[in-house]
Amino acid sequence: MTNKLLLAASFSAVLATAAATHAATEQNQSSSAVLLQGFHWNSHDYDWYSVMQANVNSIDNLGATHVWFAPVSDAASDEGYLPRELYDVTTNYGTEQQLRTLVASLNAKGIDSVADIVINHRVGTTDWADFTNPTWGSWAVTCNDEWPGATGACDTGEGYAAARDIDHTNGTVQGDLISWIRDFLFNDIGFKGLRYDYSKGYDAYYAGLYANAVNPSFCVGEVWTDLNINDVNPHRQQLVDFVSGTGGACGVFDFTTKGMLNEALNNNDYGRLSINGVPSGAIGWWPQKMVTFVDNHDTGPSEGCGIGQNHWPVPCDKVMQGYAYILTHPGIPTVYWAHAYDWGMYDAIKALVDIRKSEGLTSTSSVDIKAAQNGLYSAVIDGKVAVKIGPNSWAPSGANWELKASGTNYAVWVIGEQPPASRTVIFVYGQTQAGQDMFIRGGIDHGYAAANLGKNCTSSNYECAIPIIHNNLNNATTAGWKANDNYLDWYGVEASQSSAAEGSAADWTTNVWPSSWGAERTVAVDGYGVTPLNVYGQHYWMLDVEMDCSATVNGWFELKTYISNGPGWEADVNQSGTPYASGNHFAQCGKINVFSRGSSNATIVDF
């Protein structure tokens, strides 16, 4: 196990090595998988396989691609986490035949069944360590186990006092476990995925060894350790170390994200969800390998609030905020059975799963965090899904967002159908000196919009702004200012835009390039200089964008220029032939518009 923080290049190397040694799993790609935990802590009190069988169609309708089963082997504990005879799969959850039928029914729907593999420890049939089915001797128990008769090698992980710790360095143990998983659980019963219980109990190498031997479609380990909420990096590192220890064959449950969600939801401290503008959980480091969750059979309640384990729950009244987060963010999200089926949240959760699938969000989706503070977390995922959790108000900027799911203190939007964009060019004459640049702001006058268009325009709703996409990104000086500049607006710097930008950056152009200036510079190659569109002369600054004409006033919009490091804002003008009175220039969408700073003259021509 390494204590060195793995950087992106190291992650790539691990992935490349893993791909060469084992079959592709959901953890080895940009996965669209959704895991359903198919039980809760008290499920053994019911005819559970019958309950699951009755819900096969609704599991499919929910959008689950994988279902995690409770431990299927005979055990000394009702829940199955003290395994005894591995091949005896008639348990408190149901009979072997019920299990086989259920797995086959899910397979028929294209849903993979994930086995809960409890191999850190085992109990004897009648005594401390008289292991049968398969039969093992004292050599299978680690030397530092509580049982004085142990003769195996010492433990490669943390101990577990409730049962005998198994020696995974032993070749017979390895062979028997591989045969049990591959030949019996996978090839015979029909399981396809692995969930390793208590993965901190043995070196991650062995989880990778077994996974590579059985070729699961899904593999995830449980590494649950103490979390210091004020220094999460060691916790994230433990999760990363497990994944790299398996050679990339398995992912891991993102307990760091779970802990940060707990802090945010318990204390209204949504700033816990961001560190330097990226998610604070392990999805902020290696999202492809992380499996996220709101609660599970150990951390949360079961049939109702306060019933069950409750070792580390999110507040019962804020569960859906948690799902709004994990079902929009990277990693592979987990839906907890109790929440969907016992708490009446099925429809609300399904709405979020539907958004994840329809918008193509995956385990590697990008996250642009817009706010992370007391009372509010908001982010845009892959540039097309916006999410807000917390009691404070927020909505994504722009007119094309459609609200798709919402509830108490959460909301999710998706980008609606984009209107056709038209190329629009603005030339503004303005002489500048070295170190000075021209920026353009504009849109629709707020007062006019309120009186005539029924709009209440603000700096947060951008209803008087015009959506744009920059066509010229070749200028090394201005390209950084144009990044994340999505609107021609009145407000200056947009979210995630460079703080040095004073609006939408323009580029200096000319119609001729004297030989005395040296090698000719062109907009096509250099982003500034000569362009065929400039037939007007030197010092014409150009803004070349694709513009949403539907956001204008019958094709018209206003603009004003600002020159940095000196001249500042231009004076008001009084342009004739405009749709309404203003001290700004008026331009037309889809045309070439030519102005001069401080002048009321305007030339508007077609391309």
Side-chain angles (χ1 to χ4, degrees):
M1 303 286 278
T2 177
N3 289 320
K4 182 180 180 182
L5 189 153
L6 296 177
L7 300 178
S10 302
F11 295 160
S12 298
V14 170
L15 288 174
T17 301
T21 58
H22 67 84
T25 69
E26 294 297 336
Q27 284 71 35
N28 204 34
Q29 58 185 312
S30 293
S31 174
S32 59
V34 174
L35 175 67
L36 172 67
Q37 180 176 359
F39 64 99
H40 53 71
W41 187 249
N42 294 326
S43 293
H44 59 85
D45 289 335
Y46 305 88
D47 183 7
W48 194 249
Y49 291 155
S50 293
V51 172
M52 293 179 69
Q53 185 70 52
N55 282 285
V56 166
N57 287 336
S58 72
I59 292 171
D60 183 36
N61 183 61
L62 181 65
T65 59
H66 296 73
V67 176
W68 161 21
F69 278 61
V72 298
S73 294
D74 164 63
S77 59
D78 290 339
E79 300 79 18
Y81 285 100
L82 296 177
R84 188 164 42 205
E85 297 190 36
L86 301 186
Y87 286 87
D88 181 356
V89 292
T90 292
T91 67
N92 290 333
Y93 298 104
T95 67
E96 176 176 340
Q97 187 54 54
Q98 286 178 307
L99 173 64
R100 290 179 179 275
T101 300
L102 175 57
V103 170
S105 298
L106 291 170
N107 282 340
K109 295 286 188 181
I111 301 170
D112 288 359
S113 297
V114 177
D116 201 326
I117 305 299
V118 187
I119 55 174
N120 171 73
H121 50 268
R122 190 179 174 195
V123 300
T125 304
T126 62
D127 203 348
W128 280 57
D130 57 334
F131 303 124
T132 59
N133 195 19
T135 299
W136 293 340
S138 62
W139 42 264
V141 182
T142 59
C143 72
N144 44 351
D145 185 80
E146 295 79 8
W147 181 46
T151 60
C154 290
D155 208 332
T156 59
E158 294 187 18
Y160 187 77
R164 309 288 63 75
D165 289 335
I166 299 304
D167 176 14
H168 288 275
T169 71
N170 185 282
T172 300
V173 167
Q174 294 172 9
D176 285 349
L177 290 177
I178 289 171
S179 294
W180 171 60
I181 298 170
R182 181 190 60 206
D183 302 333
F184 182 60
L185 294 182
F186 278 35
N187 295 342
D188 189 0
I189 293 181
F191 281 96
K192 296 183 180 180
L194 304 175
R195 180 265 182 184
Y196 286 115
D197 178 66
Y198 203 78
S199 299
K200 65 182 180 180
Y202 45 93
D203 195 284
Y205 165 81
Y206 300 103
L209 175 72
Y210 303 138
N212 289 328
V214 306
N215 293 324
S217 69
F218 187 99
C219 184
V220 61
E222 178 201 32
V223 180
W224 186 3
T225 58
D226 291 340
L227 170 65
N228 178 354
I229 61 171
N230 296 316
D231 182 13
V232 302
N233 284 349
H235 199 263
R236 295 199 283 190
Q237 189 63 56
Q238 289 178 323
L239 301 182
V240 165
D241 285 345
F242 172 81
V243 175
S244 59
T246 71
C250 294
V252 65
F253 283 111
D254 190 350
F255 276 91
T256 318
T257 289
K258 160 62 175 169
M260 293 298 97
L261 274 173
N262 276 19
E263 286 300 308
L265 299 176
N266 272 304
N267 301 314
N268 204 37
D269 186 4
Y270 293 84
R272 294 287 186 180
L273 298 176
S274 174
I275 296 178
N276 297 325
V278 299
S280 58
I283 58 171
W285 276 11
W286 204 354
Q288 183 179 19
K289 299 296 187 180
M290 298 300 143
V291 178
T292 56
F293 64 102
V294 177
D295 265 321
N296 63 30
H297 62 295
D298 283 324
T299 67
S302 295
E303 301 96 323
C305 186
I307 303 172
Q309 293 273 77
N310 284 303
H311 288 318
W312 203 28
V314 302
C316 292
D317 61 339
K318 298 179 180 179
V319 166
M320 283 306 305
Q321 289 188 56
Y323 281 110
Y325 183 89
I326 69 165
L327 286 170
T328 56
H329 278 60
I332 294 177
T334 307
V335 175
Y336 182 34
W337 181 283
H339 292 153
Y341 288 97
D342 294 287
W343 292 34
M345 296 178 174
Y346 180 97
D347 290 340
I349 293 173
K350 174 177 165 50
L352 296 172
V353 175
D354 288 347
I355 292 171
R356 185 177 187 86
K357 291 183 174 293
S358 67
E359 299 306 310
L361 303 186
T362 71
S363 58
T364 60
S365 287
S366 64
V367 181
D368 180 8
I369 296 176
K370 300 298 186 182
Q373 60 201 45
N374 282 346
L376 174 64
Y377 173 87
S378 62
V380 175
I381 317 300
D382 281 349
K384 56 187 176 182
V385 174
V387 59
K388 168 260 177 187
I389 60 175
N392 293 2
S393 61
W394 181 86
S397 301
N400 295 315
W401 289 101
E402 297 179 6
L403 182 64
K404 287 293 186 179
S406 63
T408 302
N409 293 336
Y410 77 91
V412 178
W413 300 258
V414 302
I415 287 283
E417 183 177 350
Q418 297 296 308
S422 295
R423 186 183 185 188
T424 302
V425 169
I426 299 166
F427 283 111
V428 182
Y429 174 80
Q431 292 197 38
T432 55
Q433 300 177 2
Q436 295 178 343
D437 291 278
M438 182 181 289
F439 296 88
I440 298 176
R441 295 192 194 180
I444 305 171
D445 179 78
H446 284 203
Y448 177 86
N452 299 278
L453 304 178
K455 293 184 176 183
N456 179 24
C457 299
T458 69
S459 59
S460 60
N461 67 24
Y462 276 66
E463 289 189 7
C464 283
I466 316 296
I468 58 171
I469 299 173
H470 285 274
N471 287 322
N472 175 24
L473 298 175
N474 296 326
N475 188 338
T477 299
T478 61
W481 299 330
K482 294 174 182 176
N484 298 308
D485 179 33
N486 301 313
Y487 297 91
L488 179 65
D489 61 77
W490 301 113
Y491 316 115
V493 177
E494 295 179 31
S496 300
Q497 189 182 7
S498 168
S499 60
E502 297 286 352
S504 295
D507 300 288
W508 186 91
T509 74
T510 181
N511 62 335
V512 295
W513 189 276
S515 59
S516 60
W517 290 1
E520 183 181 74
R521 303 298 185 181
T522 67
V523 171
V525 175
D526 306 288
Y528 68 96
V530 176
T531 174
L533 291 178
N534 181 354
V535 296
Y536 308 102
Q538 296 179 13
H539 307 300
Y540 277 84
W541 291 76
M542 179 179 72
L543 180 67
D544 183 0
V545 297
E546 299 298 320
M547 179 173 283
D548 175 9
C549 296
S550 70
T552 64
V553 179
N554 297 320
W556 291 91
F557 61 95
E558 300 173 66
L559 65 97
K560 182 162 282 189
T561 64
Y562 177 91
I563 295 179
S564 61
N565 299 319
W569 291 107
E570 67 174 294
D572 282 355
V573 300
N574 185 21
Q575 184 177 330
S576 62
T578 59
Y580 55 89
S582 170
N584 302 315
H585 302 290
F586 275 84
Q588 288 192 24
C589 187
K591 297 183 182 294
I592 299 172
N593 304 269
V594 187
F595 309 99
S596 180
R597 274 175 56 91
S599 170
S600 299
N601 295 330
T603 299
I604 301 175
V605 298
D606 294 327
F607 282 94

